[in-house]
Amino acid sequence: LPPRADPGSSRNALPAYGLGAAGWTVGGIAVGALPSALRDGIGSELLVIGVLAAIILLVTAWLGPYVARAVGRAPGPGLCLLLLAGGGVLVAAGLLTHTLWPVLAGSFLWGIGQGFAYAQGLILLTAGMTPVEQGRSTSLYACSSYGFAAVMILVAGALSSAWGYSYGSAGAVTIFVLFCVTVAAAGRGRWAPAVAVPPVAVPTRR
């Protein structure tokens, strides 16, 4: 992006870090907490039931950039947070009611918002920085995102030990939804518009 008048503005740092953490955390929850929660809540011994939500999230996240390039647009930060929070509500509802389809629908929304949230947060944080500043900020951004995801998985494990897999994971997802709402409030009026994603020209080999 072209340099801004306020590169690396500190007022954008908190919502940017929050976006990255939210985007990375849903993958950790889907892979680390939902398999046990689904097999416990649905009452199925089939391994595919446990990993189905994670598969849907990962496949959707993989296809998302291709769709964005095809239409030339990517979701903005506000929409990403809406997708992540809405997906969390569906996942928590499915776990509490021991119903599979809300969890799968929520995982689909998570998959759409995951990668774009992480990328939009990084754009918001590093726009206008020099390459050296971008490298430093990107390292801290990744570290904070991974760290928050790890904390949420530990919280899910602690709550699951006390309440059982389904209710414990639902409690952790509810905390995550509240986190998304907090990030949205912190970033209100600071989000950059959705960034156009032009087609990538791949040079032909001779």
Side-chain angles (χ1 to χ4, degrees):
L1 293 178
R4 301 181 311 187
D6 58 340
S9 173
S10 58
R11 72 190 292 268
N12 292 333
L14 181 61
Y17 284 120
L19 264 174
W24 201 258
T25 297
V26 291
I29 293 175
V31 174
L34 288 187
S36 297
L38 282 175
R39 293 182 69 185
D40 175 67
I42 303 301
S44 173
E45 294 299 323
L46 293 175
L47 179 61
V48 68
I49 295 297
V51 300
L52 194 55
I55 291 174
I56 289 176
L57 184 148
L58 294 173
V59 170
T60 305
W62 172 63
L63 292 175
Y66 293 98
V67 176
R69 289 189 182 99
V71 301
R73 298 292 294 178
L79 179 56
C80 288
L81 286 171
L82 179 62
L83 291 168
L84 295 176
V89 171
L90 287 173
V91 169
L95 293 175
L96 291 175
T97 59
H98 307 293
T99 307
L100 182 60
W101 73 263
V103 178
L104 301 183
S107 297
F108 176 75
L109 295 182
W110 276 359
I112 298 174
Q114 181 190 28
F116 292 116
Y118 190 86
Q120 291 284 1
L122 190 58
I123 290 171
L124 183 67
L125 180 67
T126 62
M129 290 184 176
T130 65
V132 173
E133 291 172 336
Q134 286 188 9
R136 293 171 180 168
S137 297
T138 299
S139 297
L140 181 58
Y141 180 80
C143 181
S144 65
S145 299
Y146 303 164
F148 183 81
V151 169
M152 286 302 303
I153 297 304
L154 292 174
V155 168
L159 294 179
S160 296
S161 297
W163 301 342
Y165 288 118
S166 294
Y167 294 109
S169 296
V173 172
T174 301
I175 295 173
F176 171 75
V177 171
L178 295 176
F179 174 76
C180 290
V181 173
T182 303
V183 173
R188 185 176 181 183
R190 303 178 186 182
W191 305 127
V195 178
V197 183
V200 177
V202 180
T204 58
R205 295 182 179 180
R206 295 182 178 179

